[in-house]
Amino acid sequence: WSSDVCSSDLSPTAKPIIEYTWAKLWNARSYNACSNMPRFGHNGILTETQLQHLMALLLDPQSPVNQ
């Protein structure tokens, strides 16, 4: 996973959530071998930058998906 995604200044509760989300999006089968979710990063479906943007959309409290 990218070190840019999870910096050391995050709260202790946020870091594991971000690490899990990154790993799940990068390679969903790393957590569930039978997952039907695409391995977005592993298969090159999305770039690292695109995955970072997707994570921002999903995790930012101000994001429209969290309103």
Side-chain angles (χ1 to χ4, degrees):
W1 69 289
S2 170
S3 61
D4 295 337
V5 173
C6 193
S7 65
S8 61
D9 61 341
L10 292 174
S11 73
T13 55
K15 188 172 181 175
I17 294 167
I18 292 171
E19 289 174 345
Y20 170 81
T21 304
W22 178 263
K24 184 74 173 178
L25 291 172
W26 187 264
N27 181 1
R29 292 186 187 160
S30 65
Y31 285 94
N32 180 357
C34 297
S35 177
N36 288 326
M37 181 174 152
R39 297 185 289 172
F40 293 108
H42 179 80
N43 289 335
I45 297 169
L46 297 175
T47 66
E48 193 170 314
T49 301
Q50 289 171 318
L51 284 170
Q52 289 172 348
H53 291 199
L54 178 58
M55 286 185 58
L57 176 72
L58 295 173
L59 299 175
D60 186 345
Q62 301 304 314
S63 171
V65 299
N66 294 317
Q67 299 300 312

